Amino acid sequence: AQTVTQSQPEMSVQEAETVTLSCTYDTSENNYYLFWYKQPPSRQMILVIRQEAYKQQNATENRFSVNFQKAAKSFSLKISDSQLGDTAMYFCALISGNTPLVFGKGTRLSVIA
Amino acid sequence: ETGVTQTPRHLVMGMTNKKSLKCEQHLGHNAMYWYKQSAKKPLELMFVYSLEERVENNSVPSRFSPECPNSSHLFLHLHTLQPEDSALYLCASSLFDREEYGYTFGSGTRLTVV
């Protein structure tokens, strides 16, 4: 079975600082995809960044980057230059094999002015 | 707006009512999903439709009944619900066999059962 674990229920960061959200996962598949989704108070789940397991290079999208450690099954999200609009729930998610998207419990991030 | 539209945004219903949630996408996707999001729990996959056929039903109680009349529309029919069914119900869509693109989600329907 595929599982995703986020061990930080809540985090906070000062505006303009950097924060890292942790995620570990488990799958027996060799080919899979990892995602970070953001859910602001508007409730819409927004794709932030994705990583393909067969790519060693860490994905980057503007201020968002990941640290993908395949052997450790770790997939952390780094947010640089945090902005007030980054305040949201962040979900780590995994697709592998024929299994639909599986989510972690989420991390509530608060950006403080 | 992501391209996946859910209505209504909020719904309050009694335990004896019958109601339906609607989801619509015009992204050209051919797979659609219902997820349940409760407080302090991971998102739970309820139903999957791929190419308009139901391919997964994760032991969801029969008081929830999905319908997918075409690849653009997905419904969740509700009847005789329980208070513990109160949650945010999220619809998502994707391209079948193109998992690398992830899913596109709607804003959800906040359901309260009284």
Side-chain angles (χ1 to χ4, degrees):
Chain A
Q2 288 79 13
T3 60
V4 177
T5 302
Q6 293 178 251
S7 57
Q8 304 153 314
E10 294 188 22
M11 293 191 73
S12 61
V13 61
Q14 289 290 131
E15 196 176 6
E17 296 295 309
T18 295
V19 64
T20 298
L21 309 184
S22 301
C23 172
T24 58
Y25 62 92
D26 192 24
T27 177
S28 57
E29 301 284 337
N30 286 323
N31 192 27
Y32 52 90
Y33 304 94
L34 293 157
F35 306 86
W36 279 97
Y37 279 86
K38 169 186 177 181
Q39 188 179 38
S42 66
R43 306 183 327 209
Q44 195 144 52
M45 200 76 78
I46 301 164
L47 180 61
V48 174
I49 198 166
R50 58 172 155 248
Q51 176 80 40
E52 296 160 2
Y54 61 86
K55 287 189 176 178
Q56 292 188 341
Q57 187 173 5
N58 289 326
T60 299
E61 290 285 344
N62 300 314
R63 297 183 295 107
F64 299 87
S65 61
V66 298
N67 183 4
F68 175 47
Q69 300 290 324
K70 191 171 184 178
K73 294 186 176 176
S74 170
F75 182 61
S76 60
L77 174 69
K78 186 172 84 170
I79 306 174
S80 304
D81 185 26
S82 297
Q83 300 175 359
L84 295 177
D86 295 333
T87 293
M89 284 289 291
Y90 286 82
F91 293 92
C92 181
L94 162 71
I95 288 180
S96 63
N98 293 322
T99 304
L101 199 60
V102 174
F103 287 86
K105 287 189 176 182
T107 296
R108 184 176 302 280
L109 177 67
S110 299
V111 180
I112 303 164
Chain B
E1 185 61 51
T2 63
V4 177
T5 303
Q6 289 188 243
T7 54
R9 190 164 171 80
H10 301 274
L11 178 63
V12 179
M13 59 185 290
M15 289 191 283
T16 58
N17 291 159
K18 287 186 180 182
K19 296 286 184 183
S20 295
L21 310 185
K22 180 182 176 182
C23 177
E24 185 174 354
Q25 60 88 12
H26 296 287
L27 300 170
H29 290 172
N30 50 18
M32 296 187 80
Y33 313 82
W34 281 115
Y35 280 86
K36 176 183 179 182
Q37 186 177 21
S38 306
K40 313 273 185 204
K41 294 171 86 172
L43 273 79
E44 301 169 60
L45 178 67
M46 299 176 72
F47 299 104
V48 179
Y49 276 84
S50 179
L51 304 173
E52 299 169 34
E53 293 206 5
R54 190 194 305 183
V55 297
E56 187 149 343
N57 172 357
N58 278 1
S59 303
V60 178
S62 60
R63 57 186 183 269
F64 295 91
S65 174
E67 179 189 2
C68 187
N70 54 62
S71 60
S72 298
H73 295 86
L74 183 66
F75 295 89
L76 187 62
H77 304 299
L78 316 171
H79 65 97
T80 58
L81 294 191
Q82 305 298 310
E84 60 265 28
D85 298 323
S86 298
L88 181 67
Y89 289 84
L90 289 166
C91 172
S93 68
S94 72
L95 279 170
F96 178 67
D97 266 355
R98 300 307 301 269
E99 293 83 4
E100 65 267 31
Y101 295 112
Y103 297 178
T104 303
F105 284 83
S107 295
T109 295
R110 173 73 65 190
L111 173 67
T112 303
V113 181
V114 297

